[in-house]
Amino acid sequence: MTPTSYFPHKNNQMFVEDIAVSDIAKQVQTPFYCYSHRAITTSFDDYRMAFSDQDALICYAVKANSNQAVLTTLAKLGSGADVVSMGEIKRAILAGIPANKIVYSGVAKTEEEINYALSLGIFQFNVESEPELGLISKVATELNKTAAIAFRINPNVCAQTHEKISTGKAENKFGVPISKARLAYQQAALLPGIKVQGVDVHIGSQLTSLAPFEEAYQHIAQLVEELRADGHDINVIDVGGGLGVTYADEIIPSKLTYAQMVNAQLGHLNCKIIIEPGRSLLANAGILVSSVVFVKSGEEREFLIIDAGMNDLIRPSMYDAYHQIIAVDTSTANADSKTLKTYDIVGPVCETGDTFAKARQVHEAKTGDLMAIMSSGAYGSVMSSTYNTRMLAPEVMVKGCDFSLVRIRPSYEDVIKQDITPDWL
Ligand SMILES: Cc1ncc(COP(=O)(O)O)c(C=O)c1O
Ligand SMILES: N[C@@H](CCCC[NH3+])C(=O)O
């Protein structure tokens, strides 16, 4: 799936499914996120088909996009959920994802969160440290429940991705070092309220090659054999998420190729396989639609100032991430390259880092023109903030020729009234 697969231009107008993006913009003020229901569904089905000959459960990584409409779409397709907080558990349950399809990851689960997850009866805790295991054991014992656990293993493998989204190296905070894994499992087996059932690994995000996955899964396969020899009943392997997407021109292995590799590395162990995809389900199912506020000529550069900012989509400022930016309406333009111009495309926020693209060629634009920031369906709205007291961008989901607002833009009053001015001021 490319950034434009589900957002093609027809007669010089960008469409999402059967609606022109500009028609949505007549009813929803920019900036707004726009998701294609069909893109999400197709992506999920691709995973389901790819893993159809394995005993696999797809647990969508809720952090990638936790909108209730997105979660409900995936719940109806049979998805489980990979969650990292009580908030995400609540979102998943509310959307209809059953507790027994929820795996709970994250490095710092609190007592309250563990209590909540246990009382619901989630499928598995992915435990990230011995102290966390101790807390889960304590809470489970108090509740007279048993927590099914896997340790998240840190295999010390380089994911060959951006360092800020690399999670499987020894220097990263995630998981239990593979060298200490057998000891950790030995301790877990002795703890009350704990049932050891699996092994978990997630080495990072936006992986564009299968090699790091393969390396990690080889370590995991060997560990499972050792753990079984130690007497542990390991019957679940959670292989994490991480499969990348095309933002620019990256060539990504297909979901089927990935699934075949998982089977080749782990199939002989006859475990239930959990996969936790996030980005590869959602990124290219969404765009951020923005309007040009001003075109400004600097001394050295031409700036296209748009009404979306780093508070709406932080990926370019945080990871220097590349997102294609495309004019929604190209009707005044033709294929002649003279109609293309080079701009720095920036937002309105008072930070130099509020830059979506430098020296980017796009169709010549003027105030009011709509621009689409592509591949924004994952780690877009979920990472947004109200910095500069800018309201969170609304979200829209399109299905066929219908669209619905799936998150409203809060009013300034609603946001400001959350602050409390003490009466002693
Ligand atoms: C534990 C865990 N599982 C799954 C994911 C989803 O990763 P991705 O969006 O790259 O598929 C993440 C995020 O990287 C994660 O931390
Ligand atoms: N937020 C990151 C992905 C992090 C994945 C979380 N483990 C991104 O936008 O690329």
Side-chain angles (χ1 to χ4, degrees), residues 16-19 24 34-41 69 73 76-77 396-406:
V16 47
E17 303 200 9
D18 305 327
I19 307 180
I24 302 173
C34 178
Y35 309 126
S36 157
H37 181 268
R38 191 182 299 152
I40 300 170
T41 306
T73 301
K76 288 191 171 165
L77 295 169
V396 165
M397 185 180 278
V398 173
K399 186 176 180 202
C401 50
D402 294 323
F403 79 88
S404 293
L405 199 59
V406 294

Side-chain angles (χ1 to χ4, degrees), residues 322-391:
Y322 179 95
H323 286 253
Q324 290 184 28
I325 302 178
I326 303 180
V328 165
D329 177 351
T330 53
S331 56
T332 52
N334 55 41
D336 184 345
S337 63
K338 280 181 206 142
T339 62
L340 294 177
K341 262 196 104 161
T342 302
Y343 299 102
D344 277 11
I345 303 175
V346 300
V349 171
C350 297
E351 300 255 1
T352 305
D354 185 26
T355 299
F356 290 110
K358 282 197 168 153
R360 185 73 67 84
Q361 276 210 324
V362 293
H363 285 106
E364 187 165 10
K366 58 181 184 319
T367 296
D369 284 358
L370 296 171
M371 306 297 294
I373 306 182
M374 310 308 289
S375 317
S376 302
Y379 306 112
S381 60
V382 284
M383 295 179 79
S384 59
S385 77
T386 56
Y387 185 40
N388 280 202
T389 308
R390 290 168 44 79
M391 296 302 101

Side-chain angles (χ1 to χ4, degrees), residues 153-156 175-182 216 219-220 223 226:
I153 303 302
N154 184 324
N156 194 19
V176 172
I178 194 155
S179 57
K180 296 185 178 171
R182 286 174 78 177
H219 289 305
I220 294 301
L223 177 65
E226 288 168 3

Side-chain angles (χ1 to χ4, degrees), residues 107 128 152-179 201-205 207 212 215-216 219:
V107 292
E128 300 243 7
R152 177 172 176 174
I153 303 302
N154 184 324
N156 194 19
V157 166
C158 175
Q160 295 165 24
T161 185
H162 192 286
E163 63 166 345
K164 285 190 182 159
I165 53 175
S166 194
T167 57
K169 289 284 288 169
E171 71 239 34
N172 301 134
K173 68 178 174 181
F174 298 97
V176 172
I178 194 155
S179 57
V201 66
H202 171 78
I203 58 171
S205 196
L207 274 70
E215 190 185 340
H219 289 305

Side-chain angles (χ1 to χ4, degrees), residues 85-398:
S85 70
M86 186 146 136
E88 287 192 353
I89 300 177
K90 285 183 185 270
R91 281 185 175 277
I93 296 284
L94 193 64
I97 296 176
N100 64 7
K101 286 188 182 175
I102 293 180
V103 293
Y104 190 179
S105 308
V107 292
K109 303 169 190 77
T110 66
E111 188 160 346
E112 185 193 12
E113 290 178 315
I114 294 166
N115 199 311
Y116 183 65
L118 269 172
S119 62
L120 288 174
I122 64 161
F123 178 70
Q124 176 170 294
F125 287 84
N126 288 338
V127 181
E128 300 243 7
S129 64
E130 283 100 340
E132 185 183 76
L133 181 74
L135 186 58
I136 295 172
S137 165
K138 173 181 158 298
V139 178
T141 312
E142 283 164 8
L143 289 178
N144 204 17
K145 300 230 177 224
T146 302
I149 70 112
F151 274 108
R152 177 172 176 174
I153 303 302
N154 184 324
N156 194 19
V157 166
C158 175
Q160 295 165 24
T161 185
H162 192 286
E163 63 166 345
K164 285 190 182 159
I165 53 175
S166 194
T167 57
K169 289 284 288 169
E171 71 239 34
N172 301 134
K173 68 178 174 181
F174 298 97
V176 172
I178 194 155
S179 57
K180 296 185 178 171
R182 286 174 78 177
L183 186 60
Y185 275 90
Q186 206 179 318
Q187 287 165 350
L190 298 174
L191 281 178
I194 297 291
K195 179 184 140 212
V196 168
Q197 73 174 24
V199 175
D200 167 46
V201 66
H202 171 78
I203 58 171
S205 196
Q206 183 57 9
L207 274 70
T208 53
S209 146
L210 291 187
F213 286 119
E214 261 176 321
E215 190 185 340
Y217 299 162
Q218 275 161 15
H219 289 305
I220 294 301
Q222 195 191 330
L223 177 65
V224 169
E225 309 258 26
E226 288 168 3
L227 293 173
R228 283 179 172 169
D230 289 346
H232 303 290
D233 185 14
I234 303 292
N235 48 57
V236 177
I237 301 177
D238 184 334
V239 297
L243 191 62
V245 300
T246 302
Y247 284 100
D249 51 9
E250 304 90 329
I251 295 169
I252 308 294
S254 72
K255 295 175 176 89
L256 181 60
T257 317
Y258 171 74
Q260 286 167 340
M261 179 275 293
V262 169
N263 200 29
Q265 297 301 332
L266 304 171
H268 63 286
L269 296 164
N270 291 318
C271 285
K272 183 182 186 73
I273 298 291
I274 307 281
I275 48 170
E276 303 174 348
R279 190 192 309 269
S280 51
L281 283 173
L282 257 297
N284 281 325
I287 58 175
L288 174 59
V289 183
S290 181
S291 302
V292 174
V293 184
F294 299 117
V295 183
K296 171 172 160 174
S297 293
E299 190 149 325
E300 296 173 357
R301 289 156 185 275
E302 194 90 347
F303 295 99
L304 205 57
I305 307 176
I306 60 176
D307 64 1
M310 63 188 285
N311 69 299
D312 299 305
L313 178 69
I314 203 169
R315 302 193 71 258
S317 1
M318 196 161 173
Y319 314 112
D320 290 320
Y322 179 95
H323 286 253
Q324 290 184 28
I325 302 178
I326 303 180
V328 165
D329 177 351
T330 53
S331 56
T332 52
N334 55 41
D336 184 345
S337 63
K338 280 181 206 142
T339 62
L340 294 177
K341 262 196 104 161
T342 302
Y343 299 102
D344 277 11
I345 303 175
V346 300
V349 171
C350 297
E351 300 255 1
T352 305
D354 185 26
T355 299
F356 290 110
K358 282 197 168 153
R360 185 73 67 84
Q361 276 210 324
V362 293
H363 285 106
E364 187 165 10
K366 58 181 184 319
T367 296
D369 284 358
L370 296 171
M371 306 297 294
I373 306 182
M374 310 308 289
S375 317
S376 302
Y379 306 112
S381 60
V382 284
M383 295 179 79
S384 59
S385 77
T386 56
Y387 185 40
N388 280 202
T389 308
R390 290 168 44 79
M391 296 302 101
L392 295 181
E395 294 167 275
V396 165
M397 185 180 278
V398 173

